[in-house]
């Protein structure tokens, strides 16, 4: 039996076992996917012993993504760009790492808002954490000419901009309404909008009618930010699709089948998430 898991600290909240459990059943694979709580002090030991413990690989969530990147011998482009990994597997006995958040976000954007790339405008990103890095990398790879990053702590936006170079511009959080007015895509990568947190607090009436508005928050399924954009007639992209798509490459590496993200999977995972 092939085994994989997701590690984090804490880990109870993770929906990854629902996703991989759904696919294991659907494709009739003799495999397992479990949650493992790994204390930050134990993460290197756990990753070194992954093969010996019988795992084909694992997903990695907060706060272990940077440690996972450092522990790996082979890293894909996105893990290198983000300096963090969320998916690990063994390749000829060596630990290999990817950051599939880039793939997950960009694939979902393509599915939910086809043609977004034909609207030749800057991308605007709210937030400058690990998720923002993965998404900025995705837009740069997709050929977007300018990415504007708005962050409450301006230095973090500046760090991110200097990491990626001239096509990324650091902007003040207070300028988010004004400087995203000409954006082709606006993405919230902050935790604002998550149940119990505050709201993005941004008027969307300055956005062009072709602007696509995306959120990576998926609890609730439709955030206030997205509901406001939808009410203004804008195309919106919910965060859950990114979570589903980012799981695809790991499942294929561990279990040998490239799984499909479809309505059934969306329903299975969204059943576990409050609607508003
Ligand atoms: P992740 O790696 O998941 O992206 P993170 O590194 O904790 O998470 O980043 C969270 C993002 O949400 C940051 O951009 C953070 O802004 P700061 O860099 O200023 O901390 C943003 N964020 C969190 N709470 C916020 C708030 N109340 N107002 C504005 N931005 C907030």
């Amino acid at each position: 039996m092939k085994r994989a898991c997701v590690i984090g600290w804490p880990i109870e909240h993770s929906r990854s076992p629902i996703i991989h459990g759904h696919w294991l059943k659907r494709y009739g694979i003799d495999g397992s996917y479990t949650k493992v709580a790994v204390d930050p002090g134990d993460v290197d030991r756990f990753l070194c012993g992954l093969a010996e413990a019988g795992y084909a690989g694992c997903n990695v969530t907060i706060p272990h993504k940077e440690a996972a990147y450092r522990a790996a011998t082979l890293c894909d482009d996105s893990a290198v760009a983000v300096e963090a990994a969320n998916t690990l597997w063994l390749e000829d006995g060596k630990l290999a790492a990817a950051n599939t958040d880039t793939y997950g976000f960009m694939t979902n954007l393509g599915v939910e808002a086809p043609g977004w790339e034909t609207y030749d405008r800057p991308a605007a990103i709210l937030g400058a954490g690990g998720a923002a890095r993965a998404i900025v990398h995705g837009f740069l790879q997709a050929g977007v000419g300018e990415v504007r990053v708005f962050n409450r702590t301006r230095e973090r936006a500046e760090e991110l901009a200097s990491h990626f170079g001239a096509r990324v511009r650091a902007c003040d959080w207070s300028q988010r309404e004004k400087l995203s007015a000409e954006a082709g895509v606006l993405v919230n990568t902050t935790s604002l909008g998550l149940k119990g947190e505050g709201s993005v607090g941004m008027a969307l009436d300055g956005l062009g009618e072709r602007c696509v508005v995306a959120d990576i928050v998926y609890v609730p399924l439709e955030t206030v930010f997205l509901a406001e954009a939808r009410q203004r007639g804008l195309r919106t992209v919910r965060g859950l699709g990114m979570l589903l798509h980012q799981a695809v490459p790991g499942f294929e590496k561990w279990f040998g089948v490239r799984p499909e993200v479809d309505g059934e999977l969306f329903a299975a995972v969204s059943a576990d998430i409050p609607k508003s």
Side-chain angles (χ1 to χ4, degrees), residues 62 127-131 151-153 156 173 189-192:
I62 292 163
N151 200 50
R152 175 181 60 178
T153 312
R156 268 186 109 188
W173 181 246
T189 76
T190 73
S191 46
L192 295 169

Side-chain angles (χ1 to χ4, degrees), residues 182-201:
E182 63 217 44
V185 185
L186 168 65
V187 188
N188 175 43
T189 76
T190 73
S191 46
L192 295 169
L194 192 65
K195 267 200 165 331
E197 304 280 330
S199 82
V200 173

Side-chain angles (χ1 to χ4, degrees), residues 16 32 46 51 57 87 93 97 102 108 140 142 148 179 199 205 208 210 214 223 226 232-233 241 267:
S16 291
S32 75
F46 182 89
T87 304
T102 302
N108 190 46
L140 294 177
R148 297 181 184 169
L179 295 180
S199 82
D205 36 320
R210 287 183 66 193
T223 58
L226 288 184
R232 289 195 42 77

Side-chain angles (χ1 to χ4, degrees), residues 251-275:
F251 189 90
E252 184 179 25
K253 292 282 185 202
W254 312 318
F255 301 115
V257 173
R258 187 148 187 103
E260 207 184 325
V261 171
D262 59 11
E264 246 180 69
L265 177 68
F266 193 94
V269 182
S270 61
D272 195 55
I273 295 172
K275 300 280 174 287

Side-chain angles (χ1 to χ4, degrees), residues 47-71:
L47 294 177
C48 286
L50 202 61
E52 216 168 294
Y55 289 109
C58 66
N59 280 129
V60 180
T61 187
I62 292 163
H64 300 323
K65 292 184 180 187
E66 288 78 14
Y69 170 65
R70 287 192 302 269

Side-chain angles (χ1 to χ4, degrees), residues 24-136:
L24 285 170
K25 206 164 141 199
R26 171 165 175 184
Y27 297 105
I29 294 169
D30 181 22
S32 75
Y33 184 98
T34 50
K35 295 182 210 183
V36 183
V38 176
D39 182 286
D42 279 341
V43 66
D44 290 335
R45 194 157 18 128
F46 182 89
L47 294 177
C48 286
L50 202 61
E52 216 168 294
Y55 289 109
C58 66
N59 280 129
V60 180
T61 187
I62 292 163
H64 300 323
K65 292 184 180 187
E66 288 78 14
Y69 170 65
R70 287 192 302 269
T73 316
L74 310 163
C75 292
D76 83 345
D77 280 0
S78 181
V80 173
V82 182
E83 296 174 323
N86 68 346
T87 304
L88 298 173
W89 67 97
L90 292 152
E91 221 164 279
D92 302 326
K94 289 183 184 140
L95 196 59
N99 192 315
T100 66
D101 283 339
T102 302
Y103 168 83
F105 179 82
M106 298 310 290
T107 304
N108 190 46
L109 181 64
V111 170
E112 300 284 326
W116 69 268
E117 71 286 353
T118 60
Y119 192 36
D120 189 15
R121 296 293 189 98
I125 314 289
L126 306 176
R133 269 194 176 213
I135 291 168
V136 168

